[in-house]
Amino acid sequence: MYAEVVVDILNSEVDKIFDYKISTPCKIGTRVLVPFGNRKLEGYVLNIKDTTAMNEDKVKEVISIDDEPIILPEMLKLIDFMTENYNLRKMDAIRLFVPSGLRQNKVKTKLTRYALIKDKNFDINSFKSTAKNQKELYLYLLEHSREKISELNKKFTSSAVSKLEKLNLIKLEVEKEKTHIKDYGVINKNVVLTQTQQRIVNTITQKPDNYLLFGVTGSGKTEVYMNIIKNMLSINKTSIMLVPEISLTPQVLKNFKAKFGNDIALLHSGLSVRERFDEWFRIYNGEAKVVVGARSAIFAPIKNLGVIVIDEEHDGSYYSESNPRYSTIEVAQFRAKYNKCALVLGSATPDVESFYKAQNGEYKLLEMPERVNKAPMPKFDIVDMLGELKEGNNSIFSRKLVAELCDCIKNDKQAMIYINRRGYQSNVMCRSCGYSVKCEHCDVPLVYHKEDNMLKCHYCDSRYHILSNCPNCGSTDLRYGAIGTQKVVEELNRLFPRTKVFRMDNDNTRTKDAHNSILSQFASTPGSILVGTQMIAKGHDFPLVTLVGIIDADMAIHRADFRATERAFQLITQVSGRAGRGEFEGKVVLQTYMPKNYTYRCAVNYDYQNFFKHELNIRKVTKFPPFVKILRVLISGDTEEEVIKSTKTYFEKIKQIQNNNSSSFVYLNAMKCPVKRIQNKFRYEILMRIVQKDYTKVRNLIYNIVKQTKTKNCLVFVEVNPQNLS
Ligand code: ADP
Ligand code: ZN
Ligand code: ZN
């Protein structure tokens, strides 16, 4: 007998399936240890067969086999789906399904199944006379009370074991060290659903389908999700709920823990390898029936799914942008279809492409247009910063924002200030010669960090001493550009010396609990201000926050990306949604140099529908998604010459495809990436826009080219529908 095994070789181009001899049959998806060259490596059995096309004498024997498969049949299908759709190597896909603690036995555990005696009072004379094995097995277990199933299979046959299980005389369990579950504390909130919430819960519970839940911020979507999950539990079905990593706050975890206790498994980045493995295992052996986690929780080995929820479905983090690249929503759709279960995509600002699907009937649209208890949406003030400047205010805060902050603090309420740049000030530029100070390893301007008195690169984290002279012409007339979080905090401290100002950005949330600690300090300090990047925009529910200030919204709109306005709209809506969630009304002050901009006008009126119409129209005229699909071939390498050469090679071949399928292509071009160099790697791209109906065909042709073309010293990836075009 032979097993087809895919071998787990790190960072290797090898993605071949090898044949190994195997003496006892095992299930597909089982992990094995195999000899590979002069090493022993882990691999996964993808097929069992009686013959091999290889030279019999050359085929080696597997060293050991797990008792139980790690990869479920559903996952094997999903791996095929992913390798086909995202051009992944099999092993890269498989790694997503196996917790890193289990691979290479980092956490020492073997999955072993045991049988235990369940009914000790069965009359052994009731066994049929032909069922000798069953009777002996039963007697054996009466005596030993528990034993490894692999042993029992050998002694009494596997059919005897499964027969006794069916008769309820024994029970099977997977054994592993008992795990301790972190205590998140408990919030107990007794909520009676509103009519709208109840109607939506009923609809989704009763009819599995793909739903888009479009509910304004504070409309009570989380409560809807929890009730659907509760209903699923009551009919013995399991659930997966995904949220953006950043929303996995202790508050959210507590809420879920309070509602679902030990039925829940939590997967988030704060877990150690061991903890993550333990949670994975509780899902694998059926102990946990509700999985809550960030993107990768979609790969949880959970059976019998009733619902998959994806909260904040518009969030960019649902796309994996480095190898292995995939779309979490597409993976969720696969699982929902396989399990015939419901998929719920929730958002206050659905992705334009998702809303388009809802219009076409691909998703069923459910709406929650009002906040719980009809609390009003926060009111916007748009402040024209050019006007401020003309009237002599050149500070980063408008007079309106300062006045509102005063009012807010005086009344012991809280404010959040959003600015999408960390550090102090960016873009150090020489006024004499125009030289802009860039990272040595990346093609991006450096950012001044006053806290460390350093210049930092936000792409590779390199640090540089601050400059007193221009490195190019020696001039001391250096100018610092756009402001960041640190400078905003400094200004606030100057304006409000007695007010506590917290900051939350990528610089001060790198340690495990930093994020939580800032949020809980803020939560317990009335009359304080929280300054932060988009980290503060999502999921937080602070009842005392009555004011949100948006310092520089224009930055988001000015990005050279067809999704820039959409992202800006989403961000403004999300961050303003933090205000007025409790019993006090909320206000938003939005500072801009283009107060008449269409995106702002829609955002301040909470007019998603009109924004959507306008945006969709632009996409239609300019031929962008959802009317076409974008494909990007990304080529990177150590020397620009080699990268250009490879890019040319690919481009010529893709040109051929275009010649043969000219009606499929809306656009094809090759160029430098907007960020030309990151961490010493030069980056070039071939961008394509393909008409929807020919997309799969063209994509497969491109995949083939990339598979077949070997270029020296360059890494090549194909990105489908890339969310980040930098
Ligand atoms: P969303 O996720 O839509 O922004 P949340 O689910 O966070 O909104 O709900 C906002 C607030 O309203 C939360 O504090 C939540 O506990 C509360 N809430 C939700 N539903 C109800 C309800 N039916 N009755 C009372 N409070 C509710
Ligand atoms: Zn850098
Ligand atoms: Zn200079």
Side-chain angles (χ1 to χ4, degrees), residues 430 432-435 470 472-475:
C430 170
S432 305
C433 74
Y435 180 87
C470 168
N472 189 41
C473 74
S475 160

Side-chain angles (χ1 to χ4, degrees), residues 249 251 397 401 404-405 408-409 413-419 488 492 500-504 518-520 522-523 527-551 574-581 587-590:
T249 58
Q251 202 180 12
F397 301 117
L401 182 53
E404 291 291 352
L405 277 168
C408 175
I409 297 162
K413 300 295 183 300
Q414 294 177 305
M416 283 181 164
I417 304 282
Y418 166 80
I419 166 95
V488 172
L492 285 171
K500 184 85 192 133
V501 182
F502 300 97
R503 195 186 95 216
M504 189 162 89
I518 297 169
L519 288 174
S520 60
F522 177 61
S528 62
I529 304 174
L530 175 65
V531 175
T533 54
Q534 79 250 26
M535 267 185 193
I536 66 168
K538 282 170 200 143
H540 311 300
D541 196 19
F542 296 111
L544 284 182
V545 173
T546 57
L547 176 65
V548 164
I550 301 174
I551 298 290
Q574 295 290 340
V575 67
S576 59
R578 299 313 111 209
R581 291 169 77 89
K587 274 187 189 164
V588 185
V589 177
L590 187 150

Side-chain angles (χ1 to χ4, degrees), residues 189 191-194 197 216-222 372 541 581:
K189 220 180 195 178
V191 173
V192 181
L193 294 188
T194 64
Q197 285 173 321
V216 299
T217 54
S219 59
K221 295 187 287 298
T222 315
V372 175
D541 196 19
R581 291 169 77 89

